[in-house]
Amino acid sequence: MTIKLQVKNLTKIFGKRVPRAKELLKQGKSKAAILKETGATIGVDRANFEVESGEIFVIMGLSGSGKSTLVRMINRLIEPTEGSVLIDGEDLMQIDKKALREVRRKKMSMVFQNFGLFPNRTILENTAYGLEIQGIDKATREQKTNEALDLVGLNGYGDQYPTQLSGGMQQRVGLARALANDAEILLMDEAFSALDPLNRSDMQDQLLDLQETMHKTIIFISHDLNEALKIGDHIMIMKDGEIVQTGTPEDILTRPADEYVEKFIENVDRSKVYTAGNVMIRPTTVNIEKDGPRLALKRMRENEVSNAYVVNSKRELVGIIDARDVLELVRKESRDLQSIVNTEVPTTDEETPIADILDDISQTGIPFAVLNDKQQLRGIIIRGAVLGALAGNEVNHFA
Amino acid sequence: MLNLMTITKLPIANWMDHFVDWLTQFTGFFNGLTNFIGGIINAFQWVFDLIPIWLFIVIIAGVTYLANRDTKKWGLIIFEVLGLLLIWNLDFWRDMTQTLTLVLTSSLISLVIGVPLGIWMAKSDIVQAIFKPILDFMQTMPAFVYLIPAVAFFGIGMVPGVFASVIFAMPPTVRMTNLGIRQVPTELIEASDSYGSTEWQKLIKVQLPLAKSTLMAGVNQSMMLALSMVVIASMIGAMGLGTRVYFAVGRNDAGGGFAAGLAIVILAIIIDRLTQALNRQRKH
């Protein structure tokens, strides 16, 4: 993965006597002490992070944590006090106004919490705004705009005005406006927070669907951990202008950096966050084209299991065999594993959330086999690992 | 306590006299300005003199009808027609058009100076801090006071009347332009900036359209204030309905004064409702 965006030491101090506050901050004084001495507020305190190309990077925190300030420093809507933002290695802080405008036009688009739609413009004109100010001719503009509106499912609403649309639809327009520009980076500031829960969930799904094909680099600001866990490839948790923890959703859930994060994740429904891939363990396997019953029995004994998964040389799943049946074969001096294979194995793929298969897991006796899209066996899901994950324990994939 | 009466009186009046004297040496500049404003006045007056009275009334009624297409304000149209016919009947028609010329010229100049100034104030807190007290000063200083230097600069007639009216009537346009632009929601400004708008694009495509109705309310107020200046301006020779009122005062002619005053009221109501209707017209 290549690094698309790199943020180094990014700091924002609001108020007067900024130089003095900066100095105090470097000396390691607390925010309260700095506020008391200089009257300046630390918005963001030396943020460092990297965002990979094509990922959804969620910046999470409660109000006042500095996340909105941070995202606005990335496109310099708020001028940072110190630090740098590198896009494809180019430092945004070093460029002049004109070059910054070009970056905003071509490389970054923003989606706003309250949609930020212009009430005096139609949906079409709103969506075309970014293209219009670049001076792109009307025909091209309309074509690109209509494509973007198609993507978000708002075809045919072009002549309406924002107030005529529901909140969810308005935010789709906001998203379409960002997509019409075809920028590589999307900055989404609490983009779904103003929507009702049902709409929000829909929009999250739609964003993930779009992302499958578009592979944009998305910086997503949220105060909702469930949202962060659902859509984020990486999550960065902020508190009082500082970064508390950065990691994958699984990292955050299994290895919270401190009590603050722990409290956050207390109420998370883990079954919706964890996928089959997260909880699967390595199965005991037998290659039906090479291995015989004795080897199968040996492996089962070594791993202390009563059944083994049968695959072919391409590692495609064939079925499952039971230790007692193998013992029978050995006694009969037969090598015909095929005769005892049970092909009725429940299967799933790595991306499936546990919540979707939880019922089946609890009902069938045979552990689920997790397959990739080539039908190759990747792992299996045993009840113990599922329960452990839901209880917050880390899964040892290779037990 | 220090008795302020015992120290020397500050020569504020003197200073101002010197300042005005100093300014009057720029005769060329003021002559040019007089010609320019006079040109605008003559152009308006020429048009009003050209249009037959019946056509004028039809145009006013027609514009009102078009501006209020959705609401169909027949009452207003009837009022306008009857009111204008009354002015005609009272033989105030030419005075009315002169007054209208004064108001329109002052408003036009207020608009041309006031809107850019308002925009400048909205863009910079420092400019706002400087101009706010100046605007307060312009509006609260008794309007009569402007007449004196106005005569010194422009002689007597319509032009000094317009000058005094502009100073008195411009502040609402400036203020409301400033306010309207500052009231545009931050998120929309951010949206405009984040897509890489230039300052000019942001102004033309976002700020001014969204400030339009507030700005127009300011223009409406400016017109009303300009109208309120017509009687005062008549004292330095600005012709119109104001002159009729002024003469009536001199002759102690209560009836004549009332009739001319009524004509001003009718004109005020027509201007007010018409500009408001034009403002409302394109809202969604």
Side-chain angles (χ1 to χ4, degrees):
Chain A
M1 273 292 170
T2 51
I3 303 295
K4 184 84 194 167
L5 180 85
Q6 209 174 358
V7 168
K8 285 182 188 165
N9 248 339
L10 205 58
T11 304
K12 179 67 195 181
I13 300 172
F14 294 105
K16 291 169 183 168
R17 302 183 64 192
V18 169
R20 177 82 187 123
K22 209 155 74 179
E23 213 173 286
L24 290 173
L25 192 65
K26 279 192 182 128
Q27 287 168 16
K29 291 269 169 64
S30 76
K31 290 186 184 67
I34 294 172
L35 180 66
K36 204 174 167 202
E37 198 184 322
T38 64
T41 321
I42 312 296
V44 174
D45 180 8
R46 289 161 294 182
N48 285 289
F49 61 92
E50 286 173 349
V51 181
E52 285 169 7
S53 183
E55 76 163 328
I56 301 183
F57 188 90
V58 181
I59 301 175
M60 235 250 356
L62 302 180
S63 55
S65 62
K67 56 191 191 304
S68 289
T69 308
L70 182 56
V71 79
R72 279 169 176 70
M73 286 197 285
I74 292 174
N75 62 1
R76 278 176 69 181
L77 280 180
I78 293 179
E79 204 60 44
T81 308
E82 212 174 20
S84 52
V85 173
L86 287 91
I87 291 173
D88 298 322
E90 185 196 17
D91 189 352
L92 229 55
M93 297 306 135
Q94 305 300 331
I95 60 179
D96 63 7
K97 268 192 170 178
K98 203 173 160 216
L100 175 66
R101 257 198 321 264
E102 279 308 300
V103 170
R104 285 174 173 174
R105 286 178 178 185
K106 303 273 164 62
K107 287 204 165 168
M108 286 193 279
S109 291
M110 194 158 176
V111 182
F112 293 87
Q113 178 169 12
N114 297 309
F115 324 133
L117 300 179
F118 305 117
N120 56 324
R121 294 172 152 250
T122 62
I123 299 309
L124 202 71
E125 289 165 345
N126 261 292
T127 313
Y129 185 80
L131 302 168
E132 188 182 316
I133 58 175
Q134 289 179 36
I136 289 168
D137 68 277
K138 205 169 175 206
T140 321
R141 216 155 74 197
E142 260 180 32
Q143 183 212 335
K144 282 194 175 177
T145 306
N146 281 321
E147 279 170 17
L149 285 173
D150 268 351
L151 275 178
V152 298
L154 278 185
N155 202 348
Y157 286 91
D159 293 330
Q160 309 241 20
Y161 282 87
T163 47
Q164 292 171 292
L165 267 53
S166 70
M169 286 158 99
Q170 289 190 41
Q171 193 54 301
R172 284 188 170 87
V173 179
L175 189 56
R177 180 171 63 180
L179 296 177
N181 253 21
D182 208 21
E184 298 145 28
I185 300 174
L186 295 188
L187 304 175
M188 304 185 71
D189 179 25
E190 300 251 18
F192 305 150
S193 298
L195 306 177
D196 60 70
L198 217 61
N199 251 319
R200 193 184 313 164
S201 179
D202 275 355
M203 287 296 282
Q204 290 161 354
D205 292 336
Q206 194 169 14
L207 182 69
L208 289 172
D209 283 349
L210 286 170
Q211 179 66 352
E212 291 257 301
T213 51
M214 298 185 312
H215 306 296
K216 303 270 184 200
T217 306
I218 301 177
I219 316 273
F220 194 103
I221 308 294
S222 178
H223 64 251
D224 174 2
L225 186 63
N226 282 310
E227 181 170 74
L229 292 167
K230 180 173 173 183
I231 64 173
D233 293 311
H234 281 97
I235 297 172
M236 182 169 96
I237 297 180
M238 290 185 74
K239 184 196 172 198
D240 297 336
E242 281 172 55
I243 296 172
V244 183
Q245 186 175 8
T246 311
T248 62
E250 210 190 334
D251 285 337
I252 304 277
L253 285 178
T254 55
R255 288 183 293 269
D258 63 6
E259 283 170 18
Y260 183 75
V261 182
E262 250 168 52
K263 266 188 92 175
F264 247 125
I265 60 177
E266 236 167 37
N267 302 317
V268 171
D269 182 354
R270 290 157 200 270
S271 71
K272 286 189 179 141
V273 178
Y274 279 129
T275 59
N278 291 141
V279 297
M280 67 186 182
I281 61 167
R282 174 181 285 182
T284 304
T285 57
V286 175
N287 184 339
I288 197 160
E289 291 166 28
K290 282 195 333 218
D291 306 334
R294 278 176 197 282
L295 185 67
L297 211 54
K298 179 168 168 279
R299 283 195 188 152
M300 281 188 260
R301 205 176 294 131
E302 275 169 10
N303 294 329
E304 296 171 6
V305 290
S306 59
N307 45 36
Y309 287 77
V310 180
V311 293
N312 58 22
S313 289
K314 289 181 193 150
R315 234 187 136 68
E316 288 164 350
L317 181 70
V318 178
I320 188 169
I321 49 174
D322 192 273
R324 272 172 298 174
D325 297 336
V326 183
L327 209 59
E328 192 72 18
L329 271 187
V330 174
R331 242 182 242 133
K332 287 196 281 186
E333 303 259 324
S334 162
R335 277 188 58 83
D336 187 15
L337 274 179
Q338 193 72 55
S339 64
I340 59 165
V341 171
N342 175 6
T343 55
E344 308 253 306
V345 184
T347 63
T348 183
D349 63 52
E350 286 176 82
E351 303 302 323
T352 310
I354 297 181
D356 294 0
I357 48 172
L358 205 53
D359 273 354
D360 295 332
I361 291 174
S362 61
Q363 277 161 20
T364 84
I366 304 167
F368 266 71
V370 183
L371 306 180
N372 64 13
D373 47 9
K374 289 180 192 136
Q375 298 303 305
Q376 291 166 322
L377 182 64
R378 300 279 301 143
I380 61 168
I381 299 174
I382 61 169
R383 281 181 216 171
V386 174
L387 291 175
L390 295 186
N393 301 329
E394 201 176 331
V395 179
N396 187 353
H397 297 280
F398 304 106
Chain B
M1 206 188 115
L2 181 72
N3 189 348
L4 285 174
M5 299 303 287
T6 60
I7 63 168
T8 322
K9 194 167 81 178
L10 290 174
I12 290 179
N14 260 336
W15 291 341
M16 199 62 210
D17 282 343
H18 286 304
F19 179 62
V20 171
D21 281 347
W22 179 76
L23 277 179
T24 42
Q25 66 180 307
F26 301 105
T27 332
F29 171 73
F30 286 113
N31 280 344
L33 207 58
T34 308
N35 289 335
F36 179 70
I37 298 175
I40 301 173
I41 293 169
N42 288 337
F44 273 123
Q45 194 62 56
W46 182 76
V47 171
F48 290 140
D49 286 345
L50 198 72
I51 302 174
I53 297 174
W54 63 267
L55 183 60
F56 188 92
I57 298 176
V58 169
I59 291 173
I60 294 290
V63 171
T64 311
Y65 174 79
L66 287 176
N68 290 309
R69 238 168 318 177
D70 316 325
T71 45
K72 297 260 174 6
K73 286 192 174 162
W74 292 111
L76 178 60
I77 294 175
I78 291 166
F79 172 84
E80 284 172 354
V81 173
L82 290 181
L84 289 172
L85 287 174
L86 177 66
I87 291 174
W88 191 8
N89 170 265
L90 293 174
D91 200 15
F92 284 152
W93 191 263
R94 184 109 212 289
D95 301 287
M96 188 277 283
T97 57
Q98 282 172 331
T99 296
L100 190 58
T101 297
L102 183 77
V103 170
L104 289 180
T105 310
S106 314
S107 306
L108 187 69
I109 296 173
S110 297
L111 197 73
V112 169
I113 302 172
V115 170
L117 189 57
I119 293 170
W120 197 25
M121 278 174 74
K123 298 257 167 184
S124 157
D125 286 343
I126 298 171
V127 177
Q128 177 177 247
I130 294 170
F131 275 101
K132 255 199 168 155
I134 296 178
L135 292 176
D136 292 338
F137 184 92
M138 283 162 70
Q139 236 179 332
T140 46
M141 176 63 82
F144 283 95
V145 176
Y146 300 129
L147 298 182
I148 311 159
V151 172
F153 300 148
F154 303 105
I156 55 168
M158 287 292 256
V159 176
V162 167
F163 172 80
S165 301
V166 166
I167 292 181
F168 188 64
M170 192 174 60
T173 299
V174 182
R175 274 187 226 277
M176 295 301 244
T177 305
N178 177 28
L179 181 71
I181 291 178
R182 280 175 185 266
Q183 269 178 345
V184 175
T186 321
E187 214 180 49
L188 298 184
I189 299 300
E190 285 187 335
S192 176
D193 280 335
S194 73
Y195 283 92
S197 309
T198 60
E199 283 296 312
W200 181 250
Q201 284 172 328
K202 183 166 70 180
L203 183 68
I204 296 298
K205 290 178 192 291
V206 179
Q207 289 173 315
L208 281 182
L210 292 176
K212 197 187 117 205
S213 61
T214 311
L215 194 155
M216 288 303 290
V219 172
N220 174 280
Q221 278 191 35
S222 283
M223 290 180 103
M224 292 297 105
L225 285 182
L227 196 61
S228 77
M229 277 293 287
V230 295
V231 178
I232 296 169
S234 70
M235 292 166 65
I236 48 170
M239 303 302 286
L241 292 168
T243 322
R244 295 290 187 119
V245 175
Y246 185 50
F247 286 175
V249 172
R251 290 184 204 129
N252 199 13
D253 173 9
F258 180 79
L262 188 65
I264 294 179
V265 170
I266 291 169
L267 186 61
I269 293 175
I270 292 174
I271 294 175
D272 180 54
R273 299 301 140 85
L274 207 56
T275 48
Q276 278 185 22
L278 287 171
N279 186 17
R280 251 195 323 269
Q281 195 186 5
R282 281 191 28 161
K283 270 194 191 164
H284 301 286

